[in-house]
Amino acid sequence: MCGIFGYLGNKQASEIIFQGLQRLEYRGYDSAGIAVKNGTGIALEKKKGRIHNLQELSKNLKGTLGIGHTRWATHGEPNDVNAHPHHSTDKKIMIVHNGIIENFSALKEFLNCSCISATDSEVLAHLIQHHYKGNLLEAVRLSLLQVEGTYGLAVMHQHHDEIIIARNGSPLVVGLGKNEYIISSDLAAIAPHTKKYFCLDDKQIGKLTPSGYEVKDLENSAITKELERITWDVKSIEKKGFSHFMLKEIFEQPASLKNCFRGRITNDEIKVTLNLDDAFIKSINRIILVGCGTSWHSALVAEYAMEKTLNIPVEVEYASEFRYRNPILHENDLVVVISQSGETADTLAALKEAKKHCKTIGIINVVGSTIAREAGSGIYIHAGPEIGVASTKAFTGQILGLLLLALYIDEKREKTANLKTIKDALDNLEEHIKAILEKNEDIKKIAEAYYNSTNFLFLGRGSNFPVALEGALKLKEISYIHAEGYPAAEMKHGPIALIDEHMPVVFIANQNGLHDKIISNMEEVYARKGSIIALTTDDRELKKYTKHIITVPETIDLLQPILNSIPLQLLAYHIAVLKNLDPDKPRNLAKSVTVE
Ligand code: G6P
């Protein structure tokens, strides 16, 4: 949520920052701005709207040191004035900030200053000016001691060839190139410049200058940072000929899922390394899965598989609710946090709360992210960078990651799962997904028939109920069509009142134990003239109800939700594109939600 990018080196900063911000645009796209130190002072350009609005303006900025920002508005509407960077009254200090300054009103009162923007961030520039006595690092440090809230922060001063950076709760990485530093909210944006980097940890502050860098904590003690290396291929953050990242990421699922289970399952063993001893695993009484948005849906899918495999009660919680509820946790509980980005503020807070009482595990995509580090141990899903705001390959990866966790726990307890059957099914997953992706054009035709609808219902039973929830979420996120997911049997307790010839209803109707029951639900919709789209493993009985049938290959129950989700991702994608919307950057959303 909000992206920070900065450059200090020998090249023209504005061009590099502009490109960096484009890579970070998924974090927010309400407004953007760049400040560059030139021979006489600091030149600033900022503009409401998407980053490309800044392209021409940024060409006016000449200099080799600068900071930029792409915003997802929290305090203050998206407009030019509220866009970052913000400056001090004397305009000598510029800041870009990601996070929330919770005590911004108190700080304004303390400074007795008037801010020109409605943001919580601007006060930081004034506070730093207040503390500035010639040493910028010290002024920022003293300021942050007064701040309550979260920040990823970059600061520059007209009189210093340096960028000061700080972090508390909002990520900030520093890339070390040849005679240059690149700062960014995520690794993907520094990868085109260098593979060498370090991450600031919470309550750390750093100074980057042409002759080197230093990092310390807010108490002024020096800190040595371990340098790390980006191991993934930079090409993975390009569109590779696809019209959108979302489509590319949907099509990556044969490979991303393989990356998730490769080397981790054999016919008789699960190979993951978790910081849980066997005695604890045997003693687990309850598993609590915690996440937000799509990650919460993956937890709901996994709940079925976990309970079935482990015979342990599994609960699924919204991180935002869990964190404030004083959850009742015991030492024999295991809390599993699920997050694509590893940065979601509510999930991180839920994890910190859980850690006080019991063991925790993370199911995370972004390697080295805050939640991954904080969780202590877990399973990376290895889906690769996910840029499209609507999560697709991470969702299916999370379902698989959670299944691996369940199988690992089972292995240490009852050994009830038949790993050979599961391994065989996983080995076939790639071909199955490819077969679904080959139906892309057929799914597009269904989208063409329905993209003008204003409402959608998605219905499923068992583990297909959360698949229905996710199908509805994908559609509403990127097409702005109102959509709801329901357990199919619940339809008669309310949603059935909505059914008429204008209501498309998507049924996830596999051939499983509940097939006959879902056919009855379909009858109920058919009788009321609702339009049916059916997703099934066998279309024979369904042709009577609709010509819009998507067949998916049949696999074991534990994996079927993965296959069922993919056509729904494609359906949402095509509907958004037909409505002339950008599925990669839906309005009001951001990929990484680092505020509450
Ligand atoms: C945002 C994204 C969703 C995502 C959710 C949780 O709302 O737009 O796609 O599911 O955050 O994010 P996480 O990174 O924790 O999975």
Side-chain angles (χ1 to χ4, degrees), residues 341-405:
S341 62
E343 303 293 346
T344 303
D346 283 324
T347 311
L348 178 60
L351 169 63
K352 286 182 176 164
E353 174 62 30
K355 272 175 83 174
K356 292 182 204 154
H357 309 278
C358 63
K359 296 253 191 300
T360 57
I361 289 285
I363 303 289
I364 311 291
N365 190 31
V366 178
V367 176
S369 55
T370 310
I371 297 176
R373 289 151 179 252
E374 187 78 28
S377 84
I379 296 177
Y380 281 122
I381 61 170
H382 295 311
E386 192 181 64
I387 312 286
V389 165
S391 185
T392 52
K393 62 176 178 172
F395 173 67
T396 49
Q398 288 165 341
I399 296 173
L400 192 48
L402 285 161
L403 178 61
L404 289 171
L405 174 64

Side-chain angles (χ1 to χ4, degrees), residues 224-462:
T224 309
K225 297 304 291 185
E226 295 278 323
L227 294 188
E228 301 178 62
R229 280 193 80 76
I230 296 173
T231 48
W232 39 266
D233 187 352
V234 175
K235 288 202 188 80
S236 62
I237 50 173
E238 307 293 344
K239 277 193 206 147
K240 289 190 198 154
F242 284 93
S243 40
H244 295 97
F245 279 110
M246 181 178 177
L247 189 62
K248 178 193 147 215
E249 286 156 8
I250 293 172
F251 272 76
E252 278 173 348
Q253 289 173 106
S256 62
L257 287 162
K258 207 169 173 183
N259 282 343
C260 182
F261 73 80
R262 185 188 287 124
R264 287 171 159 173
I265 176 166
T266 67
N267 287 347
D268 41 30
E269 201 188 350
I270 294 291
K271 296 180 177 175
V272 293
T273 313
L274 295 174
N275 198 6
L276 302 176
D277 60 51
D278 292 2
F280 169 74
I281 292 179
K282 286 202 172 76
S283 76
I284 295 173
N285 278 339
R286 185 171 64 144
I287 297 175
I288 301 156
L289 308 177
V290 183
C292 301
T294 289
S295 298
W296 183 74
H297 288 162
S298 72
L300 286 175
V301 174
E303 182 184 12
Y304 290 83
M306 283 188 142
E307 286 197 336
K308 196 169 166 187
T309 313
L310 297 173
N311 201 23
I312 298 176
V314 177
E315 291 170 17
V316 179
E317 296 268 4
Y318 282 115
S320 54
E321 292 296 315
F322 180 81
R323 62 180 289 193
Y324 286 119
R325 222 189 42 224
N326 289 328
I328 301 164
L329 295 168
H330 303 286
E331 58 181 13
N332 292 342
D333 291 333
L334 174 67
V335 168
V336 183
V337 290
I338 304 131
S339 175
Q340 186 287 128
S341 62
E343 303 293 346
T344 303
D346 283 324
T347 311
L348 178 60
L351 169 63
K352 286 182 176 164
E353 174 62 30
K355 272 175 83 174
K356 292 182 204 154
H357 309 278
C358 63
K359 296 253 191 300
T360 57
I361 289 285
I363 303 289
I364 311 291
N365 190 31
V366 178
V367 176
S369 55
T370 310
I371 297 176
R373 289 151 179 252
E374 187 78 28
S377 84
I379 296 177
Y380 281 122
I381 61 170
H382 295 311
E386 192 181 64
I387 312 286
V389 165
S391 185
T392 52
K393 62 176 178 172
F395 173 67
T396 49
Q398 288 165 341
I399 296 173
L400 192 48
L402 285 161
L403 178 61
L404 289 171
L405 174 64
L407 296 174
Y408 177 78
I409 295 173
D410 175 59
E411 191 179 296
K412 306 281 176 203
R413 289 167 66 108
E414 311 282 330
K415 285 196 189 234
T416 56
N418 183 336
L419 287 188
K420 178 165 181 346
T421 310
I422 297 169
K423 167 89 170 55
D424 288 348
L426 282 170
D427 287 338
N428 288 328
L429 206 57
E430 184 175 0
E431 285 315 308
H432 286 339
I433 297 174
K434 284 184 178 161
I436 294 171
L437 296 173
E438 274 168 22
K439 293 180 193 283
N440 186 31
E441 283 304 314
D442 300 339
I443 296 169
K444 188 173 170 193
K445 286 201 181 82
I446 297 177
E448 281 163 1
Y450 291 103
Y451 76 98
N452 280 322
S453 304
T454 49
N455 293 287
F456 262 79
L457 266 184
F458 288 73
L459 302 177
R461 300 182 81 122

Side-chain angles (χ1 to χ4, degrees), residues 93 110-111 125-133 139 143 146:
I93 295 168
F110 163 77
L111 293 167
H126 301 291
L127 190 60
I128 296 166
Q129 179 183 347
H130 169 81
H131 286 294
Y132 180 73
K133 306 275 181 292
S143 302
Q146 282 183 269

